[in-house]
Amino acid sequence: MARSKTGTTKIDPKAVDERLRRALTKLKKEQLVELLVELARNNALVMRTVEANVELEDPPLDELLMTTQEAIEVATYFNRRDVGHNFVYDYLAYEAIERNFLKLIELGGLEKVMELAVELMKLGSYQVSVSDEGLMADDIESCLNVVFAAVRKSKLEKQQVHSWCESLTKADRTRLIGIAHIRELQKLRT
């Protein structure tokens, strides 16, 4: 074991991982499943990690809407003390938003997704505007691209698409996120 600058002994993460691995291999499959379910139920990060790596059956529409709203709140959260810095953000939450947007659209919830997209733009563009380099802008645009593509293919009324594009534009504090897609949608529907 190495010593830290304060003179305390540093913990070797590889040794901890190996002890954990040995203990987990002694459990039966059912016990491992129950442990993972409990961890995921009590920790949103664990749940998003599981969802990103395991194909789950689609939840009911209301539950999917709620978990998507929660993912938007988690993804766009930042500590106000970190304003003006490159702060850590939850990119797994952005991945969950994109996945959920796709599922919601497949389930016929495009109009609800459009509302959530405006919320994502509002909160996400604020997060970008207060960060040092706005690294999460690409994640936001990736989520929105799913919605732009669905709106392009939809049979929504011209006025509804224009109104949504206007709402997105107003919500964007950076005036940069998805702007090319927004302009394209406005031209397509004229």
Side-chain angles (χ1 to χ4, degrees):
M1 291 206 183
R3 294 248 180 227
S4 70
K5 292 178 183 177
T6 60
T8 60
T9 304
K10 287 185 179 179
I11 296 172
D12 180 9
K14 289 181 182 178
V16 173
D17 289 351
E18 189 53 40
R19 283 195 309 276
L20 181 59
R21 201 171 271 108
R22 280 193 304 269
L24 290 173
T25 56
K26 293 177 185 176
L27 296 176
K28 294 179 182 175
K29 181 179 178 179
E30 295 81 18
Q31 291 172 303
L32 284 170
V33 169
E34 287 304 313
L35 177 62
L36 190 53
V37 167
E38 183 179 338
L39 288 171
R41 180 178 40 245
N42 295 316
N43 186 307
L45 178 59
V46 173
M47 183 59 150
R48 284 191 296 281
T49 303
V50 170
E51 287 175 337
N53 291 285
V54 176
E55 191 172 326
L56 299 174
E57 64 183 59
D58 292 337
L61 188 64
D62 288 346
E63 183 182 325
L64 193 52
L65 287 166
M66 187 177 69
T67 58
T68 305
Q69 180 64 49
E70 289 172 2
I72 290 171
E73 291 168 11
V74 169
T76 59
Y77 171 80
F78 63 93
N79 188 324
R80 301 239 185 262
R81 293 182 301 219
D82 292 334
V83 168
H85 295 85
N86 269 343
F87 46 79
V88 176
Y89 68 97
D90 192 336
Y91 68 91
L92 283 176
Y94 278 110
E95 289 178 5
I97 294 165
E98 187 173 345
R99 254 191 335 273
N100 290 356
F101 278 1
L102 280 167
K103 287 179 189 175
L104 285 162
I105 291 165
E106 288 171 10
L107 294 171
L110 176 57
E111 291 183 29
K112 291 286 189 184
V113 171
M114 291 166 68
E115 292 172 22
L116 289 168
V118 172
E119 182 71 9
L120 174 61
M121 180 68 92
K122 178 182 170 191
L123 297 174
S125 67
Y126 181 57
Q127 183 187 46
V128 170
S129 71
V130 298
S131 71
D132 186 27
E133 295 178 19
L135 300 175
M136 64 292 300
D138 290 340
D139 295 295
I140 296 165
E141 188 144 355
S142 183
C143 294
L144 293 175
N145 285 342
V146 169
V147 190
F148 293 137
V151 169
R152 239 181 248 109
K153 293 177 187 175
S154 76
K155 296 184 191 288
L156 293 171
E157 295 288 326
K158 174 176 71 170
Q159 182 55 39
Q160 189 176 7
V161 173
H162 279 266
S163 177
W164 178 67
C165 288
E166 190 175 306
S167 295
L168 278 176
T169 303
K170 285 180 183 175
D172 183 6
R173 292 175 183 243
T174 68
R175 302 288 184 238
L176 298 171
I177 300 172
I179 194 70
H181 295 288
I182 292 169
R183 288 181 180 153
E184 178 191 346
L185 279 173
Q186 289 172 323
K187 286 179 186 174
L188 284 176
R189 299 294 176 139
T190 55

